[in-house]
Amino acid sequence: MRRFPINVLKPLGWLTLGLGIGCGGALVLQQWSSTSASVSKAPVERQRRPEAALTTELLLAGEPAMGSNDATLTIVEFSDFECSYCRRFHEQVLPSLKRTYIDTGHVRFIHKDLPLPFHRQAMPAAAAARCAGEQNRYWDLYGALFDQQTCLECKGVVAIAESINLDTSVLRACMRREATQTLIRSNLSEAELHNIRATPTFVIGPSRHDGTHHGNVVEGAMPWPQFKALIDQQLQAQKDR
């Protein structure tokens, strides 16, 4: 799981604040000590990152979706195509999730983009995947980008798209559109609103039919048995209502 300061427009500000990204996604705010003898030696309280929680409903219109609109639960994923923890979810959890719950009509799965600012290929990958949707191949490129994640730097997203027979001229034109970038930036703004700063992050809750979503926020690429237990718990809660 990777956590990061969401405001991608102020990288110099992060350096000034001494923001550090810890291994495994832990966000650490470094505390600076003064060399001045006149400064008090009292301990400084460590700043805490605001907890990720929905302050309003998520907006789902136009987001890539997998599964039935009538599914009992909806899972919204905030993810980064260059994040190793997101790849772990794709490899170790999503196949079982799809087979057990999505294909059987119990869960609808929706992707939102959260490209980390220090991943150079994350934004192009997000744009390419969205543009693959114009060729009805979003989930094909979604999978290929994670499968070939180690090749993102050396090959680039367009070459990966070409390897699965997408029309790359159409793809490039779509990637250059301001509307495509606006969609990704809207996901970033939405994540910031809810203090979602880790990838992957999931929002799990009952499905709605008004284009919005609300639910419990879960951070991290947890093992399949643990993720399955969360789903079963919520499915049972819906049965008991």
Side-chain angles (χ1 to χ4, degrees), residues 209-223:
H209 299 284
D210 62 354
T212 68
H213 181 58
H214 203 281
N216 297 327
V217 178
V218 179
E219 294 182 327
M222 62 186 66

Side-chain angles (χ1 to χ4, degrees), residues 18-226:
L19 189 63
I21 304 297
C23 183
L27 186 73
V28 179
L29 289 173
Q30 298 176 355
Q31 295 176 350
W32 298 92
S33 60
S34 174
T35 57
S36 172
S38 62
V39 176
S40 170
K41 300 299 183 181
V44 179
E45 184 177 352
R46 186 182 299 273
Q47 283 185 286
R48 293 183 179 179
R49 181 178 69 91
E51 182 178 357
L54 297 192
T55 56
T56 61
E57 284 76 13
L58 295 177
L59 302 179
L60 303 184
E63 303 293 2
M66 182 192 304
S68 171
N69 290 333
D70 296 322
T72 304
L73 295 181
T74 292
I75 299 175
V76 176
E77 170 201 42
F78 285 85
S79 184
D80 172 323
F81 287 105
E82 205 171 349
C83 163
S84 60
Y85 301 96
C86 301
R87 183 184 66 203
R88 183 183 303 172
F89 170 80
H90 163 74
E91 293 176 345
Q92 301 179 9
V93 176
L94 186 57
S96 296
L97 174 64
K98 186 176 185 300
R99 181 174 58 253
T100 307
Y101 296 106
I102 298 174
D103 292 345
T104 56
H106 296 294
V107 167
R108 180 176 56 157
F109 184 77
I110 294 176
H111 175 88
K112 282 182 177 283
D113 292 303
L114 191 53
L116 308 186
F118 47 84
H119 283 160
R120 293 190 301 174
Q121 298 300 320
M123 183 67 84
R130 285 185 174 272
C131 289
E134 290 191 350
Q135 301 179 48
N136 297 316
R137 300 284 304 280
Y138 176 85
W139 295 106
D140 292 339
L141 188 52
Y142 171 100
L145 289 169
F146 280 124
D147 290 342
Q148 301 184 53
Q149 189 183 81
T150 56
C151 300
L152 279 172
E153 283 286 349
C154 58
K155 291 177 63 174
V157 297
V158 174
I160 292 174
E162 187 174 26
S163 73
I164 61 169
N165 300 315
L166 281 167
D167 186 328
T168 55
S169 62
V170 172
L171 191 79
R172 284 192 182 96
C174 173
M175 289 173 67
R176 289 194 294 267
R177 287 184 207 142
E178 179 60 27
T180 302
Q181 302 300 317
T182 298
L183 285 172
I184 300 169
R185 289 195 294 267
S186 69
N187 281 187
L188 284 164
S189 297
E190 197 170 31
E192 181 176 16
L193 176 65
H194 305 297
N195 291 313
I196 295 173
R197 305 187 177 196
T199 56
T201 289
F202 306 92
V203 182
I204 307 173
S207 294
R208 298 180 173 185
H209 299 284
D210 62 354
T212 68
H213 181 58
H214 203 281
N216 297 327
V217 178
V218 179
E219 294 182 327
M222 62 186 66
W224 167 240
Q226 188 177 351

